[in-house]
């Protein structure tokens, strides 16, 4: 579990100046956060002229908002592919938890919540609220399907369980980064899968995790 489809797969550089600016902002925001990413750094990373940002965007916050939204959209699409895919509810939750991640880089959206300037700005914070709210709802939907089908125990609370899953994943990123080791994240995922398996009422339960290293 050491790389994740949080961003688009490697490919040719963006064709337009605007797209190069957005791609560079996404990369630097993930690496340095909002406060640590200067307009100059974005321009240098994108390899564009000084006036390019203000030709396409009103300023750093406008570009950052576009970059954050783009990252959230791609994360959402990648997760939805799993949640809407084949398999039981447990299979799909397990697939989400076990998908490849760049654990030591952290979550690119979760990274933004560590910036006070982002959290205090309702406009910049909105994509974060939307992404995490959507994730909890979709996880709850999948878990509710499993409960309705009899796969999961009737006593299981889909909303509370979904919130726990989201919280443990984000906390796992933090613990892994603090330790400079993916082991805490992997242990958190194993624990979640064990708890989910304990709620299964059929023989269909999450497969034992085998994190890829």
């Amino acid at each position: 579990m050491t790389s994740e489809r949080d961003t688009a797969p490697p490919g040719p550089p963006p064709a337009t100046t605007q797209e190069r600016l957005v791609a560079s902002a996404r990369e630097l925001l993930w690496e340095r956060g909002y406060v640590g990413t200067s307009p100059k750094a974005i321009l240098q990373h994108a390899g564009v002229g000084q006036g390019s940002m203000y030709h396409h965007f009103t300023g750093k916050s406008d570009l950052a908002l576009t970059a954050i939204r783009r990252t959230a959209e791609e994360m959402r699409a990648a997760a939805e592919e799993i949640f809407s895919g084949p398999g039981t509810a447990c299979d799909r939750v397990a697939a989400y938890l076990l998908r490849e991640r760049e654990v030591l880089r952290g979550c690119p959206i979760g990274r933004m919540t560590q910036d006070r300037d982002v959290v205090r700005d309702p406009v910049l914070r909105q994509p974060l609220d939307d992404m995490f709210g959507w994730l909890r709802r979709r996880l709850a939907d999948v878990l509710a399907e499993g409960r309705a089908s009899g796969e999961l125990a009737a006593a299981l609370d889909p909303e509370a369980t979904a919130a726990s899953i989201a919280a443990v994943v984000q906390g796992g990123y933090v613990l892994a980064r603090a330790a400079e080791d993916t082991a805490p994240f992997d242990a958190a995922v194993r624990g979640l899968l064990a708890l989910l398996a304990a709620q299964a009422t059929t023989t269909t339960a999450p497969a034992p995790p085998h994190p890829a290293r």
Side-chain angles (χ1 to χ4, degrees):
M1 289 182 292
T2 55
S3 69
E4 178 173 284
R5 284 172 48 193
D6 282 332
T7 56
T16 68
T17 297
Q18 184 175 9
E19 286 301 308
R20 287 163 68 186
L21 286 166
V22 173
S24 293
R26 291 177 64 186
E27 182 69 18
L28 292 175
L29 287 171
W30 192 3
E31 178 184 334
R32 306 179 185 182
Y34 181 78
V35 174
T37 299
S38 67
K40 181 179 180 180
I42 296 172
L43 293 171
Q44 290 178 339
H45 190 279
V48 299
Q50 186 171 359
S52 299
M53 178 184 295
Y54 298 98
H55 177 71
H56 296 285
F57 303 95
T58 59
K60 173 185 171 180
S61 62
D62 186 30
L63 172 55
L65 178 61
T66 300
I68 293 169
R69 283 175 172 168
R70 185 76 59 79
T71 296
E73 288 168 1
E74 292 191 6
M75 288 181 63
R76 179 171 173 167
E80 180 58 37
E81 184 177 353
I82 294 172
F83 295 145
S84 300
T88 65
C90 288
D91 288 339
R92 284 175 281 155
V93 173
Y96 171 73
L97 291 171
L98 294 170
R99 71 178 184 174
E100 293 185 345
R101 289 174 160 86
E102 289 188 53
V103 173
L104 296 183
R105 293 191 72 186
C107 172
I109 292 298
R111 176 72 176 84
M112 294 298 95
T113 67
Q114 300 172 34
D115 275 287
R116 186 166 59 178
D117 286 9
V118 173
V119 174
R120 288 184 172 181
D121 186 327
V123 176
L124 288 175
R125 191 183 68 239
Q126 191 62 52
L128 315 183
D129 294 340
D130 291 345
M131 176 61 202
F132 288 128
W134 175 86
L135 178 61
R136 290 192 299 271
R137 289 191 299 273
R138 285 299 287 127
L139 281 166
D141 288 345
V142 174
L143 292 166
E145 287 178 30
R147 187 179 66 178
S149 70
E151 174 193 349
L152 295 170
L156 180 135
D157 183 331
E159 289 77 18
T161 304
S164 296
I165 292 171
V168 171
V169 168
Q170 290 300 315
Y173 279 124
V174 173
L175 294 175
R177 284 171 59 85
E180 296 185 340
D181 190 334
T182 62
F185 185 96
D186 295 343
V189 167
R190 288 196 300 272
L192 277 175
L193 291 174
L195 290 172
L196 189 61
Q199 292 295 315
T201 60
T202 71
T203 56
T204 305
H210 296 287
R213 295 243 178 233

